[in-house]
């Protein structure tokens, strides 16, 4: 969407802050022995207390309030009785709707005690997201996002998941600009415009380049057991640095 007035901006800020705070609190609860269903129940309770509804449930009838994916399962993991183990890599994606406006954010966490290689991958994932965010301003091509993500990942010896991309958000969970590739797409001539609301969400991997859907019809995983992380912010394009709608709380997990 393109923001038309301050009322829309304030509504987007509100839902963005809600999903960011829920994600942060869920991250704090990540520990060995907790089940993904228990984590999801926490997320649902906090969303409900904030007057928001789960976007995956509302839009896609997803069998959970949030998406929680472990290790080589990269995205859209269904919360269940699976318990986290020390050293696991877990991705939590929180998206919600309030007053007809959507917010979307995500983060990967290492279950303590963390493996050094996985901690490093998480650090690199956050770094690449921030580098991509720094590139987006009014008047630049949309494909600068994928160009930055893929170049920075390759420079550090990692790959990106090519069939998972960023997207527009705001009045819907997924809207124009649809599928913003995480690689340089020379055929994409779309331009970033002031007031445009998008996500940026690189999936950075130790070797995978695509994901496949598992038999449950939701979970996306790598063909081999590659570690993969995802970090996501929703933002508004401006003439300078974008306005982050899903800011990490001050007591940052990073």
């Amino acid at each position: 969407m393109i923001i038309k007035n301050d009322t829309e901006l304030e509504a987007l800020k509100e839902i963005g802050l809600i999903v960011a705070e829920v994600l942060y609190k869920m991250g704090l609860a990540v520990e060995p022995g907790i089940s993904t269903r228990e984590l999801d129940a926490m997320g649902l309770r906090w969303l409900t207390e904030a007057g928001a509804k789960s976007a995956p449930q509302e839009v896609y009838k997803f069998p959970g309030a949030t998406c929680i994916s472990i290790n080589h399962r990269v995205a859209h993991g269904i919360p269940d009785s699976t318990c986290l183990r020390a050293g696991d890599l877990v991705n939590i994606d929180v998206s919600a709707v309030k007053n007809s406006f959507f917010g979307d954010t995500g983060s990967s966490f290492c279950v303590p005690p963390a493996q050094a290689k996985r901690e490093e991958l998480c650090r690199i994932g956050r770094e690449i997201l921030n580098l991509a965010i720094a590139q987006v301003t009014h008047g630049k091509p949309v494909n600068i996002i994928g160009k930055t993500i893929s170049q920075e990942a390759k420079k550090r010896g990692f790959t990106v998941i090519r069939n998972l991309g960023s997207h527009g958000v705001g009045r819907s969970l997924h809207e124009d600009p649809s599928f913003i590739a995480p690689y340089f797409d020379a055929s994409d001539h779309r331009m970033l415009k002031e007031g445009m609301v998008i996500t940026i969400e690189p999936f950075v991997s130790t070797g995978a380049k695509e994901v496949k859907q598992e038999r449950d019809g939701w979970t996306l995983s790598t063909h081999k057991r590659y570690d993969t992380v995802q970090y996501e912010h929703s933002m508004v394009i401006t003439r300078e640095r974008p306005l982050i709608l899903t800011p990490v709380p001050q007591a940052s997990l990073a």
Side-chain angles (χ1 to χ4, degrees):
M1 68 174 286
I2 302 290
I3 293 175
K4 297 181 177 66
N5 53 56
D6 288 344
T7 300
E8 291 183 341
L9 178 59
E10 291 307 311
L12 286 166
K13 284 182 177 180
E14 181 183 17
I15 188 59
L17 186 59
I18 289 170
V19 295
E21 290 182 340
V22 170
L23 174 66
Y24 177 69
K25 290 192 285 188
M26 290 179 72
L28 289 177
V30 166
E31 62 181 9
I34 192 170
S35 73
T36 57
R37 182 176 290 127
E38 289 173 307
L39 268 179
D40 186 63
M42 293 177 185
L44 177 59
R45 182 174 76 250
W46 292 323
L47 287 174
T48 302
E49 289 172 353
K53 294 183 178 180
S54 162
Q57 288 183 335
E58 290 293 305
V59 178
Y60 298 114
K61 307 302 179 186
F62 181 73
T66 64
C67 301
I68 306 177
S69 311
I70 305 173
N71 296 331
H72 71 288
R73 293 181 171 88
V74 174
H76 303 171
I78 300 172
D80 59 17
S81 61
T82 303
C83 292
L84 300 183
R85 298 175 299 178
D88 275 346
L89 189 61
V90 56
N91 178 265
I92 303 175
D93 194 302
V94 180
S95 55
V97 57
K98 183 176 182 178
N99 297 325
S100 301
F101 288 90
F102 288 76
D104 193 4
T105 189
S107 183
S108 294
F109 303 90
C110 293
V111 181
Q115 299 178 21
K117 288 184 177 180
R118 286 180 166 174
E119 280 190 321
E120 176 68 3
L121 178 60
C122 288
R123 185 188 68 79
I124 293 297
R126 292 191 294 268
E127 185 176 286
I128 290 173
L129 171 60
N130 288 330
L131 288 167
I133 289 172
Q135 291 296 317
V136 295
T137 58
H138 170 81
K140 285 190 176 181
V142 168
N143 63 18
I144 198 170
I145 296 171
K147 182 178 182 180
T148 302
I149 290 170
S150 58
Q151 285 183 344
E152 296 298 336
K154 183 177 181 180
K155 187 187 302 182
R156 291 160 176 76
F158 294 95
T159 58
V160 295
I161 303 298
R162 294 172 64 88
N163 59 338
L164 291 174
S166 308
H167 55 88
V169 67
R171 283 291 190 176
S172 303
L173 180 57
H174 297 97
E175 59 180 67
D176 288 335
S178 61
F179 190 72
I180 301 172
Y183 52 86
F184 179 63
D185 181 0
S187 67
D188 186 351
H189 302 297
R190 296 174 297 180
M191 303 297 289
L192 296 167
K193 300 177 182 179
E194 186 174 14
M196 181 183 287
V197 188
I198 65 169
T199 70
I200 298 181
E201 51 176 315
F203 286 78
V204 180
S205 179
T206 56
K209 295 183 179 179
E210 62 177 21
V211 290
K212 63 177 181 178
Q213 190 174 78
E214 296 192 355
R215 291 181 179 179
D216 62 20
W218 294 102
T219 307
L220 301 175
S221 62
T222 60
H223 179 64
K224 295 183 179 179
R225 293 178 178 266
Y226 289 109
D227 283 346
T228 304
V229 297
Q230 177 248 25
Y231 292 91
E232 176 184 18
H233 274 308
S234 297
M235 68 203 69
V236 181
I237 302 303
T238 74
R239 293 184 178 273
E240 298 179 353
R241 188 174 176 86
L243 172 64
I244 303 300
L245 296 169
T246 51
V248 178
Q250 290 298 311
S252 172
L253 287 175

